[in-house]
C-alpha cells in the first residue's frame, strides 16, 4: 500500500502551515491542494466525464451508501469497478456512507455493532457495520476508501460526542481488520465535534495506527464558519506531515483558503453542482443568481478570466435565457463553470505556495468571515 500511495511535499508557506505536494495513487498523481468534485452516484451531476476532465478535476468522490442502494456494489464490481463503470480514469474516493446514514435520524438505530436503517427508496431494512462498509467499498474499487464513522450532529452534548468519537475509533479498528485490498488506501476520520480536546485525543489515537491518510470529519454539519476554522486550525497541523490531509464537506473560497493555511490538502463539496441546479454560480468567490433580470441583456461571459467551456462560449444573457426557458442545458453549463471555479482557485493557491506568496496573494480570503 505504501508503494502506491506516497505523498511528497514540494513547497511550504513560510508564514503558515500551507503546503503544496503531489500524492501518488494507482490511477495517477494528485497535485495538492486540490478541490475534488462529488459524484455521489458514480456521476458528477449533469456533467460528462470528458467535460469533468476539462474542468481540471484530478480526483472525484462517490458514495458507498447511495451506490449500495442503487445499483448495488455487485453490479459495479461486475462492470469492472467504479472506474470502468463511470468511465473515469483518474483517482476516486468513496465516502463510507456514515454521514448519510446518520442523517437519517428518524429512520436508523445505532448500536456498537453498526447501524440499522430503513431504505428511503423502498423501506427495506438494511444493516451497515464497519465490516460491511469496507466490503462494499472493496467491491466498488475506489483508490481511497473511508472508515465507517459516527458523525455526531451539531449541536450535541459533550457526552454524546465523547461516545461517538470513541465508537468511531473502535469501528476504525474493525475497518482495518476487514480491509483486504492493497490497491486501496483506507483513511481514518477525526471526529470530536466542537470539543477541541476530544479532537486532539482522536488525532493522537488515529495517528498511532499509521494509516495512508487522514480526514477531518464532522464539520459543515451546522456549525458557524469560525467554529469550523477553529477546529481545523487545532486539528490539521497535528496530523502526520508525510500523509495527505482531507477536510470533508468544505468548498467555499474562505473555508478552503483558511484550511489550506492549517495544512489541509484535499477538499470536497456538493456546492458546484447543487448551486447550478438552483441557478447559482460562483464568480471570483461570490454567489450570483443567473435568474436575475440584470443578466437578461448582459452579453459578457460569467467571468472573462475563466477558461472554462461556459465562459469561453456563452454569455450571461444566454444562460439567463436557458434558465427562464427551462432548458436543462443550463445545469450543465453552470456546473462546468462552478467546478472549474473551485478547482482553479485551489490550483492558484498551489502556485502561490510554490512561490511563497500565499499569504500575500490570498490575504483577503485568510481573514475571518466578515
Amino acid at each position: 500500500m505504501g508503494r502506491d500511495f506516497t505523498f511528497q511535499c514540494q513547497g511550504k508557506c513560510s508564514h503558515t502551515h500551507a503546503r503544496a505536494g503531489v500524492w501518488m495513487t494507482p490511477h495517477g498523481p494528485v497535485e495538492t491542494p486540490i478541490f475534488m468534485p462529488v459524484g455521489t452516484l458514480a456521476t458528477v451531476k449533469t456533467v460528462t466525464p470528458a467535460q469533468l476532465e476539462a474542468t481540471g478535476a484530478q480526483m472525484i468522490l462517490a458514495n458507498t451508501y447511495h451506490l449500495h442502494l442503487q445499483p448495488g456494489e455487485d453490479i459495479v464490481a461486475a462492470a469492472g469497478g467504479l472506474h470502468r463503470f463511470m468511465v473515469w480514469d483518474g483517482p476516486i474516493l468513496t465516502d463510507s456512507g456514515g454521514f448519510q446514514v446518520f442523517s437519517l435520524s428518524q429512520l436508523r438505530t445505532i448500536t456498537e455493532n453498526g447501524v440499522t436503517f430503513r431504505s428511503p427508496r423502498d423501506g427495506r431494512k438494511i444493516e451497515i457495520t464497519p465490516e460491511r462498509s469496507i466490503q462494499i467499498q472493496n467491491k466498488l474499487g475506489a483508490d481511497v476508501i473511508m472508515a465507517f464513522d459516527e458523525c455526531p450532529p451539531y449541536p450535541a452534548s459533550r457526552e454524546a460526542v465523547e461516545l461517538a468519537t470513541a465508537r468511531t475509533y473502535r469501528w476504525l479498528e474493525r475497518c482495518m481488520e476487514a480491509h483486504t485490498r492493497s490497491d486501496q488506501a483506507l483513511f481514518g476520520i477525526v471526529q470530536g465535534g466542537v470539543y477541541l480536546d476530544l479532537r486532539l485525543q482522536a488525532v493522537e489515537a488515529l495517528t498511532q495506527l499509521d494509516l495512508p491518510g487522514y480526514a477531518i470529519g464532522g464539520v459543515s454539519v451546522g456549525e458557524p464558519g469560525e467554529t469550523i476554522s477553529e477546529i481545523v486550525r487545532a486539528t490539521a497541523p497535528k496530523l502526520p506531515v508525510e500523509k495527505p490531509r482531507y477536510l470533508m464537506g468544505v468548498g467555499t473560497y474562505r473555508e478552503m483558503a483558511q484550511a489550506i493555511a492549517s495544512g489541509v490538502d484535499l477538499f470536497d463539496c456538493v456546492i458546484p453542482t447543487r448551486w447550478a441546479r438552483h441557478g447559482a454560480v460562483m464568480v471570483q468567490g461570490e454567489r450570483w443568481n443567473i435568474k436575475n433580470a440584470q443578466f437578461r441583456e448582459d452579453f459578457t461571459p460569467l467571468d472573462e478570466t475563466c477558461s472554462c467551456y461556459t465562459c469561453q462560449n456563452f454569455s450571461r444573457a444566454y444562460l439567463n435565457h436557458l434558465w427562464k426557458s427551462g432548458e436543462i442545458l443550463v445545469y450543465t453549463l453552470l456546473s462546468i463553470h462552478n467546478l472549474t471555479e473551485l478547482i482553479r482557485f485551489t490550483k492558484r493557491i498551489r502556485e502561490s505556495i510554490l512561490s511563497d506568496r500565499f499569504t500575500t496573494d490570498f490575504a483577503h480570503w485568510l481573514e475571518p468571515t466578515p
Side-chain angles (χ1 to χ4, degrees), residues 196-214:
L196 299 186
D197 61 322
L198 297 182
R199 289 275 178 181
L200 294 177
Q201 290 173 25
V203 168
E204 183 176 359
L206 265 61
T207 53
Q208 291 181 9
L209 299 176
D210 191 28
L211 296 164
Y214 297 88

Side-chain angles (χ1 to χ4, degrees), residues 4 13 18 35 41 83 91 105 121 127 130 190 201 267 284 312:
D4 291 333
C13 171
F35 176 82
L41 276 160
H83 294 88
S105 58
R121 286 182 172 269
E127 182 180 27
V190 177
Q201 290 173 25
F267 302 88
Q284 303 287 327
Q312 291 298 307

Side-chain angles (χ1 to χ4, degrees), residues 47 71 73 125 127 200 203 214 255 276 319:
V47 178
E73 61 275 11
K125 187 177 180 180
E127 182 180 27
L200 294 177
V203 168
Y214 297 88
E255 287 175 329
L319 297 170

Side-chain angles (χ1 to χ4, degrees), residues 25-286:
T25 78
H27 283 86
V30 179
E31 295 181 333
T32 64
I34 194 67
F35 176 82
M36 303 180 292
V38 176
T40 302
L41 276 160
T43 174
V44 176
K45 294 187 187 301
T46 75
V47 178
T48 70
Q51 291 168 331
L52 184 59
E53 185 177 3
T55 68
Q58 296 179 32
M59 185 172 186
I60 62 174
L61 275 72
N63 185 266
T64 300
Y65 163 80
H66 289 287
L67 289 171
H68 175 61
L69 295 181
Q70 169 63 39
E73 61 275 11
D74 289 335
I75 289 178
V76 176
L82 266 178
H83 294 88
R84 289 188 181 180
F85 190 53
M86 66 183 296
V87 195
W88 177 256
D89 294 331
I92 301 175
L93 179 153
T94 44
D95 190 356
S96 70
F99 176 80
Q100 286 73 26
V101 169
F102 293 112
S103 68
L104 301 171
S105 58
Q106 304 303 315
L107 301 174
R108 48 84 171 153
T109 302
I110 306 173
T111 67
E112 183 63 25
N113 189 52
V115 181
T116 303
F117 62 97
R118 293 287 180 182
S119 168
R121 286 182 172 269
D122 55 19
R124 63 191 170 101
K125 187 177 180 180
I126 298 174
E127 182 180 27
I128 295 185
T129 64
E131 293 81 5
R132 187 74 183 106
S133 175
I134 296 301
Q135 290 166 3
I136 295 169
Q137 293 186 82
N138 284 165
K139 285 189 175 183
L140 293 175
D143 300 83
V144 178
I145 65 177
M146 302 302 297
F148 193 61
D149 63 325
E150 182 175 351
C151 180
Y154 175 84
S157 69
R158 181 183 176 88
E159 181 182 11
V161 175
E162 282 181 327
L163 291 172
T165 304
R167 180 176 285 147
T168 290
Y169 179 81
R170 294 193 297 272
W171 282 359
L172 170 58
E173 292 182 308
R174 290 166 57 186
C175 287
M176 294 174 66
E177 183 68 24
H179 185 31
T180 61
R181 291 185 57 164
S182 62
D183 60 342
Q184 291 181 305
L186 172 63
F187 277 30
I189 303 175
V190 177
Q191 291 289 353
V194 299
Y195 305 98
L196 299 186
D197 61 322
L198 297 182
R199 289 275 178 181
L200 294 177
Q201 290 173 25
V203 168
E204 183 176 359
L206 265 61
T207 53
Q208 291 181 9
L209 299 176
D210 191 28
L211 296 164
Y214 297 88
I216 301 171
V219 298
S220 293
V221 291
E223 316 95 325
E226 182 52 37
T227 301
I228 295 174
S229 182
E230 184 181 18
I231 291 169
V232 176
R233 284 197 305 269
T235 306
K238 302 295 184 181
L239 294 170
V241 296
E242 73 278 9
K243 306 290 178 68
R245 301 160 173 166
Y246 165 33
L247 180 58
M248 306 177 75
V250 165
T252 67
Y253 269 32
R254 194 173 304 278
E255 287 175 329
M256 289 196 297
Q258 292 179 359
I260 289 169
S262 295
V264 173
D265 306 299
L266 307 169
F267 302 88
D268 81 283
C269 192
V270 298
I271 278 178
T273 53
R274 178 173 290 174
W275 279 16
R277 297 194 302 278
H278 290 85
V281 289
M282 185 176 290
V283 180
Q284 303 287 327
E286 296 181 356

